[in-house]
């Protein structure tokens, strides 16, 4: 190892990586929980240590220089290695205390997790639980979360997963909607009715098509990637939407529609990193989630 060649500070590298990933000094400062001037000084210090310019200003933004792009490729590998070191250390921690980040969807955060968190505070009061609410798949390899409850099985070899007891989803509408439009049994009956989507109409139509359901063309003009917001549109009587039976059953004034459409299975998985599974605090959270979902 040529130690003389390693003359820069890891904090400077971290600041550069965050700036490149977030696209600005202010974005880097936000994710690193520091100030923009501090990030700027660290990036400048790294440029001085390496003897190259890493960014150039374009209007009010930053653009990587050719040298910066080359450095970024290597720095990303350093960031991944640092994350693995953190995973190994976390996996060897036998203390049932400290932070555990759990990633769940917005609907699960609202309707399911309060009960789970209540159990966790009883069993392990020294734990610090962060609930990450997102409908995207959190990157467990980069430690965006320690445990994720999601609808897809893990495919990465570094991750392990356990399938939970899933549910069924079907079409629902509010009682007020049914009073105005009737309760359709088939898609043909609902051809002139509005649908609420969890994404743009073309995406919703494609997802439903994969499940053998042909949505009426032009029916999905109201949608939101935030599932809670889309479901509130359904509850407000603005259209027909899809929801898991266990969640729909918690909503007042909601009735099933399109009875001829087959219920859709909703898969559910709990996922974590292999290294983290050896941590007592991760195991405690993992086991309580398995117990709650009946796995």
């Amino acid at each position: 190892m040529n130690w003389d060649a390693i003359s820069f500070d890891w904090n400077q590298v971290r600041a550069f990586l965050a700036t490149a990933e977030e696209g600005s000094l202010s974005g880097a400062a936000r994710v690193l929980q520091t100030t923009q001037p501090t990030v700027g000084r660290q990036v400048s210090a790294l440029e001085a240590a390496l003897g190259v310019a890493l960014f150039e200003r374009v209007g009010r933004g930053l653009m990587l220089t050719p040298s910066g792009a080359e450095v970024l490729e290597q720095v990303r590998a350093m960031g991944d290695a640092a994350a693995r070191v953190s995973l190994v250390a976390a996996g060897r921690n036998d203390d049932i205390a400290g932070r555990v980040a759990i990633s769940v969807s917005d609907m699960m955060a609202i309707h399911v997790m309060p009960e789970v968190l209540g159990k966790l505070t009883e069993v392990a009061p020294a734990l610090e639980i962060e609930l990450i609410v997102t409908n995207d798949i959190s990157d467990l390899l980069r430690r965006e979360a320690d445990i994720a409850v999601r609808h897809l099985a893990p495919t990465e070899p570094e991750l392990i997963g356990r399938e939970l007891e899933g549910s069924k989803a079907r079409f629902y509408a509010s009682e007020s909607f049914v009073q105005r439009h009737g309760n359709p049994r088939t898609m043909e009956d609902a051809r002139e009715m509005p649908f609420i989507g969890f994404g743009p109409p073309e995406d919703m139509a494609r997802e439903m098509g994969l499940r053998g359901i042909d949505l009426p063309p032009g029916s999905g003009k109201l949608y939101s990637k935030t599932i809670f917001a889309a479901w509130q549109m359904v509850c407000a009587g603005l259209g027909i939407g899809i929801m898991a039976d266990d969640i729909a059953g918690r909503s007042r004034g909601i009735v099933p529609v399109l009875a001829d459409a087959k219920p859709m299975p909703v898969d559910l998985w709990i996922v974590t990193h292999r290294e983290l599974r050896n941590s007592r605090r991760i195991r405690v959270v993992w086991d309580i989630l398995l117990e709650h979902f009946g796995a």
Side-chain angles (χ1 to χ4, degrees), residues 19-170:
T19 302
E21 295 283 2
E22 298 299 321
S24 67
L25 294 173
S26 59
R30 183 177 62 255
V31 297
L32 296 178
Q33 298 183 342
T34 185
T35 64
Q36 182 173 332
T38 297
V39 175
R41 286 194 297 270
Q42 290 173 329
V43 172
S44 296
L46 181 61
E47 290 178 321
L50 298 178
V52 295
L54 300 173
F55 293 105
E56 59 181 348
R57 288 203 169 274
V58 179
R60 301 182 64 181
L62 293 176
M63 179 178 292
L64 285 167
T65 64
S67 295
E70 292 181 10
V71 171
L72 178 61
E73 183 177 351
Q74 304 304 319
V75 165
R76 280 184 173 141
M78 293 175 64
D80 290 340
R84 287 194 294 273
V85 170
S86 178
L87 283 167
V88 170
R92 301 297 182 265
N93 189 339
D94 286 335
D95 191 9
I96 309 182
R99 174 183 176 274
V100 178
I102 309 171
S103 171
V104 298
S105 70
D106 53 359
M107 294 301 285
M108 186 171 293
I110 294 168
H111 295 287
V112 178
M113 289 308 295
E115 183 177 347
V116 175
L117 295 177
K119 179 66 173 179
L120 279 170
T121 57
E122 291 179 9
V123 173
L127 281 179
E128 174 188 324
I129 303 294
E130 177 185 3
L131 195 62
I132 299 175
V133 182
T134 175
N135 293 317
D136 296 326
I137 296 179
S138 291
D139 192 340
L140 297 174
L141 299 180
R142 290 181 178 270
R143 291 296 302 276
E144 292 177 2
D146 299 311
I147 296 176
V149 182
R150 62 197 200 187
H151 297 298
L152 294 175
T155 56
E156 302 87 343
E158 299 91 341
L159 302 181
I160 58 173
R162 178 85 172 268
E163 189 170 10
L164 305 175
E165 184 176 336
S167 61
K168 299 288 186 181
R170 69 191 76 228

